[in-house]
Amino acid sequence: MKTRFTLIAALLLLAQQAQALSLPDAAALASQTSIGSAQAGYNDLEQQMQQALRAALQGNNPQLTRNLLEKAKQSPTQADYAWLKSSGYDFQTKANQQAGIALLAGFSSLPASVLDANRATVTQINLNATQGTRHQALADAEGINHLYFLADALGPRLGKAFLTAYDKGELGKAAALIKASEVSTSAAKKHFNYPRPFLHQGNTIHLVPDDVVVKDNHPYTAEGGSFPSGHTNTGYTDALLLAEMVPERFEALVTRGARYGYSRLVLGVHYPLDVMGSRMVAERNVANYLNDARYQGLFSEAREQLRAALEKECGTSLAECARSTGKDDPYRSPQMKRFYRFTLSYNLPQTTGKHVAVTVPAGAEVLLKTALPQLSAAQRRALMVKSALPGGYPLSGNAEQSFWQRLDLTAAYALATQP
């Protein structure tokens, strides 16, 4: 009993520390997972990722142009589209889009003070970003239609094996299924119709020129509504599904989804609320799919192929290949848990008074199933409740909204696995 209370006390302390993480502290942690960081092994992997991305985007063309970038998608070698199509699986896109809009309904009634803080936060992150963080943001943005961005969260050894297997077509089922599981945010963008930061009257946003991917120095912008973020939806969906397939890197991959969303603020094309909302929707969508028996069948087949391919490329067990390499593996740094916690709220204003209690929606505990297979569904739900973010942050209205806004998967995992 004493050990149990000690664990809870430790978690509460972690929550308090993470909640107090400042914007400069968050920026410093983001810099550690950016191109040009102080870790040589990590930088080598980032360089390999960039080269692979640019080669895939360019294809057989004499040079990479922005026109090619806009038409990019995974090649038939990388993604087994035929396998997925033959399954006939219906992803229920429209129904899931409407569920996402309902989940984010509170955005339309946010007070001016929250929206002001929302603008101030993205402006500070955008203007104070380092060159390395901007380069990372460009690579994240331009690689949206591929899975290269996930490699760095796997660590130098497993990350390189992932890149090799991906380009050889050994992960084809997973590559096809993961990308098909992204539920477009286009309907929500049209519904909320909120202008992007660089379009807001009186903004001072710095638009970042592309000197990383296309290398044409064209200022990076984006079209359509700002809320919620389509790129963040992609980043979280892809990262969560790969985390379910490779639970040996669960925390690192989930954090990669958050880091991908942070890149959108670095570029000045999205607000914190856009990123927060997309995280909520992506987690809800992934849980919804994983609770569907037909999807689970496809997922299991893809997962088995992916794990076998990674072990083949590693030449050892997946557990061994996934082990941390210390400073060259920044996504395994304990400090990144603080960064992840920060991205749940971006320190936006909380409401005062009594908040809705954390209630786990039916089936949401599936997000911890492969990472914590030794626990029952009830135990995983209990972890989600114990590790949740404090209440009152924006987008946490009714019980379902409050749960997804406050869900901290990395803290829940840590609570179950710490010594």
Side-chain angles (χ1 to χ4, degrees):
M1 181 65 70
K2 181 179 179 181
T3 300
R4 178 172 176 269
F5 282 112
T6 300
L7 292 176
I8 294 174
L11 179 69
L12 291 174
L13 177 60
L14 174 64
Q16 292 169 357
Q17 292 173 335
Q19 188 177 359
L21 190 67
S22 67
L23 286 180
D25 289 339
L29 292 174
S31 183
Q32 293 176 16
T33 53
S34 294
I35 297 168
S37 69
Q39 299 88 11
Y42 183 77
N43 286 335
D44 288 344
L45 177 57
E46 287 293 337
Q47 185 175 23
Q48 185 176 343
M49 290 163 60
Q50 278 190 58
Q51 291 172 345
L53 172 62
R54 295 189 80 251
L57 295 173
Q58 184 173 335
N60 296 322
N61 298 282
Q63 66 181 35
L64 175 57
T65 63
R66 191 152 298 278
N67 186 51
L68 289 174
L69 180 70
E70 293 170 355
K71 298 177 180 178
K73 61 178 290 188
Q74 295 181 114
S75 71
T77 298
Q78 292 172 321
D80 194 342
Y81 298 115
W83 165 77
L84 186 58
K85 184 177 180 180
S86 68
S87 73
Y89 184 75
D90 182 1
F91 286 88
Q92 297 288 322
T93 300
K94 288 186 178 180
N96 284 313
Q97 285 179 322
Q98 291 305 309
I101 290 172
L103 185 62
L104 302 180
F107 177 80
S108 299
S109 58
L110 290 174
S113 59
V114 170
L115 297 179
D116 288 344
N118 197 37
R119 285 191 292 272
T121 301
V122 63
T123 301
Q124 185 172 346
I125 290 174
N126 166 261
L127 294 179
N128 295 323
T130 63
Q131 183 183 48
T133 309
R134 286 173 175 165
H135 285 173
Q136 186 64 58
L138 287 166
D140 283 353
E142 309 290 35
I144 183 175
N145 293 317
H146 292 79
L147 297 177
Y148 294 113
F149 77 93
L150 295 170
D152 55 17
L154 295 171
R157 189 176 180 185
L158 184 56
K160 291 179 179 179
F162 177 86
L163 293 175
T164 300
Y166 183 39
D167 278 344
K168 288 169 65 174
E170 296 174 340
L171 316 177
K173 293 178 180 179
L177 183 64
I178 288 173
K179 281 297 178 185
S181 302
E182 299 166 3
V183 179
S184 171
T185 59
S186 59
K189 287 177 179 290
K190 291 179 181 177
H191 176 84
F192 294 105
N193 193 30
Y194 196 73
R196 293 179 183 268
F198 65 90
L199 296 176
H200 186 81
Q201 186 175 5
N203 79 85
T204 58
I205 293 294
H206 166 73
L207 293 179
V208 181
D210 182 355
D211 55 355
V212 174
V213 183
V214 182
K215 299 184 179 182
D216 59 359
N217 287 315
H218 186 279
Y220 183 86
T221 60
E223 298 179 349
S226 192
F227 183 83
S229 166
H231 274 74
T232 303
N233 174 68
T234 290
Y236 260 105
T237 300
D238 297 1
L240 278 171
L241 285 170
L242 189 59
E244 300 293 337
M245 293 182 182
V246 190
E248 293 87 347
R249 301 288 302 192
F250 182 80
E251 289 175 293
L253 283 164
V254 172
T255 302
R256 187 62 177 96
R259 178 65 184 80
Y260 193 93
Y262 184 88
S263 284
R264 305 307 288 162
L265 277 71
V266 170
L267 294 175
V269 296
H270 277 292
Y271 303 93
L273 287 171
D274 304 345
V275 170
M276 292 159 58
S278 283
R279 172 187 61 82
M280 294 164 60
V281 170
E283 289 172 339
R284 179 264 168 205
N285 289 339
V286 170
N288 180 63
Y289 284 137
L290 290 175
N291 279 296
D292 180 82
R294 286 203 62 205
Y295 183 94
Q296 186 59 235
L298 296 172
F299 175 85
S300 297
E301 191 175 340
R303 182 177 188 264
E304 183 177 347
Q305 182 197 55
L306 178 137
R307 293 179 65 83
L310 291 180
E311 287 199 338
K312 172 192 169 187
E313 296 298 340
C314 286
T316 185
S317 70
L318 201 53
E320 176 62 28
C321 197
R323 289 185 187 279
S324 176
T325 57
K327 65 179 183 179
D328 285 333
D329 193 3
Y331 275 102
R332 276 285 182 88
S333 167
Q335 292 296 316
M336 290 307 290
K337 294 184 180 66
R338 299 185 68 211
F339 175 83
Y340 185 83
R341 188 82 164 186
F342 165 80
T343 66
L344 300 184
S345 70
Y346 281 89
N347 290 345
L348 294 181
Q350 287 176 272
T351 59
T352 58
K354 187 176 181 180
H355 300 134
V356 178
V358 179
T359 304
V360 183
E365 70 278 357
V366 74
L367 294 177
L368 291 171
K369 186 175 182 179
T370 63
L372 301 172
Q374 74 279 16
L375 301 184
S376 67
Q379 288 173 319
R380 295 195 299 273
R381 287 195 295 272
L383 287 173
M384 288 176 159
V385 173
K386 291 177 182 177
S387 59
L389 189 74
Y393 286 107
L395 306 180
S396 57
N398 61 34
E400 183 181 12
Q401 294 164 347
S402 180
F403 170 79
W404 292 114
Q405 200 286 313
R406 299 170 64 181
L407 176 62
D408 187 336
L409 289 171
T410 65
Y413 180 85
L415 185 59
T417 57
Q418 59 185 309

